[in-house]
Amino acid sequence: MRILKSSIAFIVIAVMGIFLLVMAIRDKIELSKPPAKIEDMTEKDFYNGRFVEGDIYEIWGEYATLKESKSMFGIQYSTKTTSHYYLMPLETLYITGEPKFISLSVRDSNDMFTAEKMAGEFEDYANTNFEDISKFVTTMHVKGKITKLPKDGIKIFDDTLNELGFSSTTDAVHYVINVGNDGSGTSYELIIGIVVTLVGLGGTAISVIRGIRRGY
């Protein structure tokens, strides 16, 4: 029984390693391509795992936060906000005339300061009945990775758009740009994936061999 449990544990480790390996390899492939330019992107240019870079000129404000909690014996003792989600219109809407909105996820304090400043500028612009465009003076240069919005995040995102008078059916692009996730740690992740996979496969093989020798 002990050998069986050991084998299952190592199999789980191997699966985790393979998952990390696949993710790292996929990122490596994406990084071999030129990053998409945010300013030129339309709804069709978004897909999970794509890396982007460019300047952002307009942010409509924070609509959600992601909080992570630590717990011990089922008791939470620490809760920390790790990401702030902002509503952002695609720059190309000014060319196409069709509003499209995505999410921007910010973790770094400096980026968050800039995002809040830009959100404040948009609020000032809205207070002038959208006439004084000179209110926009701040821009944000970002590098990041596109991922799909989680299911619970989609509902909050759609509700926010609906409250603003837009359609979650036609105007929502359910992807988020994760600012700062530029793929710089991919090589490290690849090494971890290889090591974890080898440990899992090696441990599984040793457990099976021991089981055979003991007649299990």
Side-chain angles (χ1 to χ4, degrees):
M1 182 62 68
R2 182 181 298 177
I3 292 176
L4 178 59
K5 290 182 178 179
S6 176
S7 297
I8 293 174
F10 279 115
I11 289 173
V12 171
I13 292 173
V15 171
M16 291 174 58
I18 292 171
F19 176 78
L20 291 173
L21 200 55
V22 170
M23 294 294 291
I25 291 173
R26 189 180 71 174
D27 283 351
K28 279 287 188 182
I29 293 173
E30 286 296 327
L31 288 168
S32 67
K33 308 173 186 176
K37 190 176 180 181
I38 296 174
E39 301 95 310
D40 299 333
M41 295 181 73
T42 64
E43 180 182 12
K44 296 179 181 179
D45 297 319
F46 285 80
Y47 61 81
N48 198 43
R50 187 172 197 180
F51 288 94
V52 298
E53 182 176 359
D55 294 316
I56 294 174
Y57 299 95
E58 189 174 330
I59 292 176
W60 282 28
E62 181 182 299
Y63 74 89
T65 58
L66 177 64
K67 296 183 179 181
E68 294 181 358
S69 299
K70 294 181 180 180
S71 62
M72 182 177 292
F73 305 115
I75 301 175
Q76 292 185 356
Y77 64 89
S78 176
T79 300
K80 181 181 179 181
T81 299
T82 56
S83 295
H84 296 259
Y85 287 80
Y86 293 87
L87 185 67
M88 190 187 95
L90 290 182
E91 188 71 19
T92 47
L93 77 86
Y94 299 105
I95 299 174
T96 62
E98 299 177 357
K100 299 290 181 182
F101 296 88
I102 62 168
S103 293
L104 192 72
S105 174
V106 179
R107 301 175 67 96
D108 180 78
S109 58
N110 291 328
D111 290 332
M112 191 173 66
F113 175 81
T114 303
E116 288 293 333
K117 187 176 181 180
M118 293 177 69
E121 290 174 1
F122 173 77
E123 185 176 356
D124 291 341
Y125 173 58
N127 289 335
T128 63
N129 294 319
F130 304 99
E131 293 180 355
D132 189 3
I133 199 169
S134 66
K135 295 291 184 181
F136 292 105
V137 295
T138 307
T139 61
M140 180 192 295
H141 185 79
V142 303
K143 294 181 179 180
K145 181 181 179 181
I146 296 172
T147 56
K148 291 182 179 179
L149 273 176
K151 289 183 179 180
D152 54 346
I154 289 176
K155 185 181 186 308
I156 300 173
F157 180 76
D158 287 351
D159 288 346
T160 302
L161 278 184
N162 292 331
E163 289 174 3
L164 291 172
F166 295 94
S167 170
S168 58
T169 303
T170 59
D171 303 331
V173 182
H174 293 142
Y175 287 92
V176 54
I177 297 177
N178 299 280
V179 178
N181 187 353
D182 58 359
S184 57
T186 303
S187 296
Y188 181 66
E189 293 170 359
L190 185 62
I191 293 173
I192 292 177
I194 292 172
V195 171
V196 173
T197 301
L198 291 176
V199 169
L201 293 177
T204 301
I206 292 173
S207 296
V208 171
I209 291 172
R210 285 179 176 176
I212 293 175
R213 287 179 176 177
R214 295 181 182 182
Y216 291 102

